[in-house]
């Protein structure tokens, strides 16, 4: 390939911040991330969708205006419903949350036409670190419905740190990313060390953001109207929307002024009486209203620091992300806590999209010279269902035994040893879950498989090794091996559409296509929604709670676990030693050498590093054959 062809040969990959309130799209041009504006020149697209009275679909700021004028024909903050199978009603029609998100993404897709034409475009889409697997899958599906190829979903704080890391790849720095947007709060500790960006810990609340502040102000105003007129304006859809809009403007004003006027001449007409509102609110009063939420963010900041084993003094830089960090009280709380001034070299509104573009550039090769390398943390724990002893001889099924704990650096491989419950037991059902609850019933089922052919033995005597591998693309491979016979069984849990019925995807697609073409013509959508429910039953419902395995042995023996992982990984690498591609066989040999050396020297840190590297490569190789 000539140098020119190579230069032009980068796949088009864009980064997208699909926000609760605002969305934006960015890409890498000549080594620098840029946000791509709308044809009208706006860099932020309000995440609002409106279907007007002529059944036209309108996205963005005009749809946002519709929230007041046509509240039943418009929708905002759909991100809060992502992953839910409950349809939302818009202009009398039902839509799944990801279909609404797809409309927003499709609008962003249209901004790219002047740059990339109608070519296939790959997208990296960001989600809050706290999004569950179901919410990530819904986000990926939204991207694909909008016509993007979505290979990677990354965490918003990771993206923000990447935007920062591109210009700070030298030296060693601990950064706190504080992201307070419209609907979600996320906080992470990220270390940038000679270009290697490592997310150390992540925390947040996905129901906390500027929207809550607006609604709190709506309540404050409604209480005033109520005491004056005895009418609750929140009962009137239009008045409620008017108050919400007013609340947001007051909030913005109070970010720069000390007092805001609260003025609405005709909120509604009640039995011929015009109901109005005219008062004032000070910044101090407003801060009092929202202080409980702000305190909660600070408690999460403190948690995330302790998870990373750091104190406030260890933080070198603070990255403020999200529109709500413009509230002066937020900035002063943070500066006080960290005893340093908060400076924002990156636009808080655009940091996530710019960082998603950096990830896109690392993926496409457009930034391969930057020297940046990313690791992330598992956003939730992943493990298996086990039985636990209740009283003499009795077992309680359905307990969750985490194998990869939340906040573990990924890519990673983790192993645990379990055993049988009954005498002579020859089979176990290995059920894989994600979540933080002690009982699997309250966690999310990812899948299950059966391991048969266990040599009959007394309960607890036949050890079974369960290994989880998790990579940066969020793909989990779970395997179980009967140690005595080496018999292995495994499943790969893809994060994406594979587990989804093609029928329900096509139904969504058809529904959206008809919208784009002629407005919402589809009348009967129940079938598709039913299909979606069935899919959820199949994969998200309660599994057959077979209490097949129990934890055994000394799980806290990290060294032992690492050595076992190394053994399994060495076996997995074996076939690649004689691979026809010299690049792969060479790499496999090197990995085997490193693993063996680290294991023999008992160098656990080196062993962990070698295992992590092998994990990612094995995924890559397995995926490509
Ligand atoms: P998201 O990530 O949820 O899409 P953004 O980061 O775009 O959200 O932030 C949107 C939120 O920021 C909204 O609640 C908006 O009202 C709020 N916001 C924007 N500007 C200001 C400001 N100057 N003062 C206070 N809040 C603001
Ligand atoms: Mg955001």
């Amino acid at each position: 390939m000539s140098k020119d062809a190579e230069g032009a040969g980068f796949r088009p990959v864009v980064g997208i911040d699909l926000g609760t309130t605002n969305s934006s799209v960015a890409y890498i041009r000549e080594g620098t991330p840029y946000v791509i504006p709308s044809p009208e020149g706006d860099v932020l697209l309000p995440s609002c969708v409106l279907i007007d009275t002529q059944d036209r679909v309108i996205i963005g700021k005009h749809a946002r205006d519709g929230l007041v004028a046509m509240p039943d024909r418009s929708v905002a903050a759909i991100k809060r419903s992502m992953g839910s199978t409950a349809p939302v009603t818009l202009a009398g029609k039902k839509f799944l949350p990801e279909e609404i998100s797809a409309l927003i993404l499709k609008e962003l897709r249209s901004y790219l036409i002047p740059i990339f034409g109608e070519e296939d475009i790959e997208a990296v889409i960001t989600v809050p670190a706290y999004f569950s697997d179901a919410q990530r899958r819904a986000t990926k599906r939204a991207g694909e419905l909008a016509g993007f190829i979505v290979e990677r979903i990354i965490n918003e704080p990771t993206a923000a740190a990447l935007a920062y890391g591109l210009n700070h790849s030298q030296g060693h720095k601990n950064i706190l990313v504080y992201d307070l947007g419209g609907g979600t709060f996320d906080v992470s500790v990220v270390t940038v060390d000679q270009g290697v960006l490592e997310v150390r810990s992540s925390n947040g609340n996905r129901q906390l953001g500027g929207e809550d502040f607006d609604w709190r102000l709506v309540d404050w105003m409604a209480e005033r109207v109520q005491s004056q007129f005895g009418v609750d304006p929140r009962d009137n859809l239009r008045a409620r929307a008017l108050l919400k809009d007013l609340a947001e403007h007051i909030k913005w004003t109070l970010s720069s002024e000390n007092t805001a006027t609260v003025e609405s001449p005709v909120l509604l007409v009640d039995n011929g009486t015009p109901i109005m509102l005219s008062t004032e609110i000070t910044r101090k009063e407003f801060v009092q209203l929202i202080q409980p939420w702000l305190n909660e963010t600070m408690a999460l900041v403190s948690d995330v620091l302790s998870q990373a084993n750091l104190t406030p003094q260890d933080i070198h830089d603070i990255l403020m992300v999200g529109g709500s960090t413009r509230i002066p009280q937020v900035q002063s709380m943070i500066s006080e806590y960290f005893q340093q001034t908060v400076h924002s070299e990156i636009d808080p509104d655009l940091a996530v999209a710019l960082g998603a573009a950096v990830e896109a550039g690392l993926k496409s090769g457009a930034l391969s010279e930057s020297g940046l390398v990313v690791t992330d943390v598992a956003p939730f724990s992943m493990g298996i269902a086990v039985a636990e002893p209740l009283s003499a001889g009795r077992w309680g099924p359905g307990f969750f035994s985490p194998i990869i704990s939340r906040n573990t650096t990924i890519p990673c491989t983790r192993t645990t040893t379990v055993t049988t419950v009954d005498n002579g037991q020859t089979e176990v059902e290995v059920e894989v879950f994600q979540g933080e609850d002690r009982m699997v019933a309250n966690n999310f089922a990812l899948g299950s498989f059966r391991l048969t052919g266990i040599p009959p033995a007394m309960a607890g005597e036949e050890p079974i090794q369960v290994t989880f591998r998790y990579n940066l693309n969020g793909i989990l491979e779970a395997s179980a091996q009967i140690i005595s016979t080496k018999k292995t069984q495994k499943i790969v849990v893809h994060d994406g559409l594979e587990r989804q019925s093609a029928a329900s995807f096509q139904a969504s697609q058809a529904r959206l296509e008809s919208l784009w073409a002629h407005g919402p013509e589809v009348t009967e959508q129940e079938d598709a929604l039913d299909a979606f429910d069935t899919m959820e039953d199949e994969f998200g419902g309660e599994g057959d709670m077979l209490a097949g395995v129990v934890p055994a042995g000394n799980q806290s023996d990290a060294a032992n676990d690492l050595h076992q992982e190394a053994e399994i990984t060495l076996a997995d690498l074996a076939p690649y030693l004689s691979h026809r591609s010299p690049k792969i066989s060479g790499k496999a040999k090197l990995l085997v050498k490193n693993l063996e050396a680290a294991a023999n020297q008992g160098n656990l840190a080196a062993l962990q590093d070698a295992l992590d590297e092998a994990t990612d490569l094995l995924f890559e190789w397995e995926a490509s054959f």
Side-chain angles (χ1 to χ4, degrees):
M1 193 192 292
S2 77
K3 197 157 189 326
D4 269 8
E6 202 180 304
F10 294 134
R11 281 166 302 147
V13 189
V14 298
I16 297 177
D17 173 5
L18 179 60
T20 310
T21 324
N22 296 300
S23 298
S24 48
V25 57
Y27 81 125
I28 300 291
R29 195 175 66 210
E30 290 159 12
T32 307
Y34 286 97
V35 170
I36 303 165
S38 72
E40 294 170 50
D42 298 321
V43 287
L44 291 180
L45 173 72
S47 307
C48 299
V49 176
L50 167 81
I51 296 180
D52 74 6
T53 45
Q54 276 115 55
D55 279 351
R56 282 175 310 202
V57 184
I58 295 162
I59 319 285
K61 62 184 178 193
H62 301 299
R64 201 190 131 106
D65 299 339
L67 292 173
V68 174
M70 292 177 264
D72 56 336
R73 290 189 157 265
S74 48
V75 54
I78 193 66
K79 187 172 174 179
R80 284 187 157 179
S81 310
M82 283 294 268
S84 154
T85 52
V88 287
T89 305
L90 183 62
K93 307 284 190 298
K94 282 179 177 174
F95 295 93
L96 291 170
E98 63 259 42
E99 293 169 356
I100 303 287
S101 290
L103 293 169
I104 298 164
L105 290 168
K106 177 93 174 163
E107 181 76 9
L108 291 177
R109 173 74 181 81
S110 73
Y111 298 178
L112 306 176
I113 293 172
I115 301 171
F116 300 117
E118 295 290 347
E119 214 179 328
D120 277 349
I121 299 177
E122 218 179 294
V124 171
I125 307 179
T126 61
V127 293
Y130 256 63
F131 255 27
S132 67
D133 180 75
Q135 292 171 307
R136 283 161 202 262
R137 281 191 287 131
T139 304
K140 180 173 172 167
R141 191 170 128 106
E144 306 199 328
L145 283 170
F148 287 104
I149 301 163
V150 187
E151 267 196 36
R152 190 160 280 194
I153 298 288
I154 68 165
N155 293 332
E156 285 160 14
T158 311
L162 271 169
Y164 169 95
L166 194 59
N167 297 321
H168 297 82
S169 57
Q170 302 304 311
H172 173 100
K173 275 187 171 174
N174 296 321
I175 315 158
L176 183 102
V177 184
Y178 180 104
D179 180 351
L180 188 57
T184 53
F185 172 66
D186 258 300
V187 58
S188 299
V189 174
V190 181
T191 299
V192 186
D193 194 356
Q194 309 297 347
V196 179
L197 192 145
E198 184 185 355
V199 180
R200 304 268 300 266
S201 56
S202 222
N203 215 328
N205 182 337
R206 56 189 134 93
Q207 300 290 346
L208 195 172
E211 284 276 310
D212 297 300
F213 311 158
D214 300 343
W215 287 113
R216 184 67 193 86
L217 261 181
V218 167
D219 290 341
W220 182 89
M221 292 188 282
E223 282 153 21
R224 258 144 203 82
V225 172
Q226 216 169 2
S227 64
Q228 197 179 344
F229 298 95
V231 176
D232 188 342
R234 289 167 293 192
D235 294 340
N236 178 301
L237 203 56
R238 193 177 164 276
R240 201 173 112 97
L242 251 173
L243 284 177
K244 167 74 167 74
D245 192 53
L246 185 58
E248 193 169 22
H249 282 92
I250 294 167
K251 177 179 78 174
W252 292 339
T253 304
L254 292 173
S255 286
S256 52
E257 315 285 331
N258 271 313
T259 314
T261 52
V262 181
E263 203 56 75
S264 181
V266 187
L267 254 183
L268 70 152
V269 179
D270 181 58
N271 288 329
T273 316
I275 307 286
M276 45 92 80
L277 176 66
S278 174
T279 179
E280 267 189 3
I281 183 166
T282 63
R283 185 186 283 179
K284 202 164 157 229
E285 286 174 292
F286 171 64
V287 167
Q288 266 166 10
L289 294 178
I290 65 167
Q291 196 66 51
W293 285 288
L294 301 187
N295 291 344
E296 190 181 336
T297 69
M298 294 313 291
L300 289 164
V301 166
S302 149
D303 284 355
V304 91
L305 285 176
S306 24
Q307 282 161 16
N309 283 322
L310 295 176
T311 66
Q313 290 74 38
D314 296 326
I315 297 294
H316 301 102
D317 259 323
I318 297 155
L319 251 175
M320 298 295 262
V321 182
S324 299
T325 59
R326 293 221 165 80
I327 297 174
Q329 176 69 3
V330 171
Q331 299 187 10
S332 51
M333 276 180 1
I334 290 283
S335 340
E336 198 178 310
Y337 186 84
F338 288 98
Q339 292 293 306
Q340 58 175 289
T341 45
V342 176
H343 49 91
S344 39
E345 68 184 81
I346 302 173
D347 185 330
D349 290 324
L350 305 180
V352 171
L354 293 171
V358 172
E359 172 75 23
L362 291 172
K363 234 178 154 277
S364 72
L367 280 180
S368 52
E369 307 283 291
S370 70
L372 270 184
V373 177
V374 203
T375 69
D376 209 332
V377 289
F380 17 65
S381 302
M382 284 160 278
I384 51 172
V386 297
E388 285 190 0
L390 295 179
S391 57
R394 283 181 52 237
W395 294 93
F399 286 88
F400 181 55
S401 170
I403 295 180
I404 294 177
S405 317
R406 186 157 80 82
N407 278 331
T408 301
T409 303
I410 54 175
C412 71
T413 302
R414 292 286 180 275
T415 290
T416 193
T417 307
V418 294
T419 183
T420 49
V421 176
D422 294 323
N423 292 338
Q425 185 176 344
T426 56
E427 303 189 350
V428 289
E429 183 79 10
V430 181
E431 293 173 285
V432 182
F433 288 86
Q434 91 181 18
E436 311 308 322
D437 202 274
R438 219 167 94 71
M439 305 306 298
V440 291
N442 300 324
N443 291 332
F444 186 84
L446 294 176
S448 70
F449 61 98
R450 214 168 177 78
L451 181 65
T452 56
I454 302 171
M458 295 301 280
E461 284 195 348
E462 194 58 48
I464 295 157
Q465 203 159 52
V466 180
T467 302
F468 276 24
R469 270 201 212 142
Y470 190 69
N471 80 349
L472 276 175
N473 282 333
I475 298 172
L476 174 71
E477 184 189 276
S479 62
Q481 184 181 61
I482 305 164
I483 295 180
S484 63
T485 64
K486 298 275 175 245
K487 179 172 179 188
T488 305
Q489 199 74 47
K490 68 178 162 189
I491 53 163
V492 177
V493 184
H494 289 275
D495 64 345
L497 295 165
E498 286 77 6
R499 288 186 289 148
Q500 174 138 28
S501 87
S504 80
F505 184 79
Q506 278 159 9
S508 280
Q509 215 166 23
R511 197 169 343 174
L512 293 180
E513 238 139 56
S514 81
L515 257 188
W516 287 317
H518 330 281
E521 291 291 301
V522 185
T523 45
E524 216 22 271
Q525 302 177 352
E526 299 303 332
D527 286 354
L529 295 168
D530 284 351
F532 196 67
D533 286 346
T534 314
M535 190 278 293
E536 275 297 306
D537 285 347
E538 215 172 302
F539 300 101
E542 287 201 13
D544 159 24
M545 301 292 293
L546 241 177
V549 286
V550 294
N554 184 359
Q555 277 192 64
S556 64
D557 188 353
N560 199 16
D561 282 352
L562 272 184
H563 283 285
Q564 285 175 351
E565 282 167 36
E567 242 175 67
I568 292 172
T569 306
L570 282 170
D572 288 342
L573 283 170
Y576 294 99
L577 292 172
S578 53
H579 195 271
R580 61 189 143 74
S581 149
K583 207 173 144 198
I584 290 180
S585 63
K587 191 78 202 167
K589 281 175 199 152
L590 187 66
L591 278 170
V592 167
K593 198 172 131 234
N594 291 348
L595 278 171
E596 285 177 342
N600 290 337
Q601 290 158 10
N603 182 341
L604 295 186
L607 189 54
Q608 184 68 70
D609 283 351
L611 278 170
D612 289 346
E613 197 186 347
T615 299
D616 233 26
L617 280 171
L618 280 167
F619 264 117
E620 208 178 283
W621 295 342
E622 280 163 17
S624 52
F625 303 115

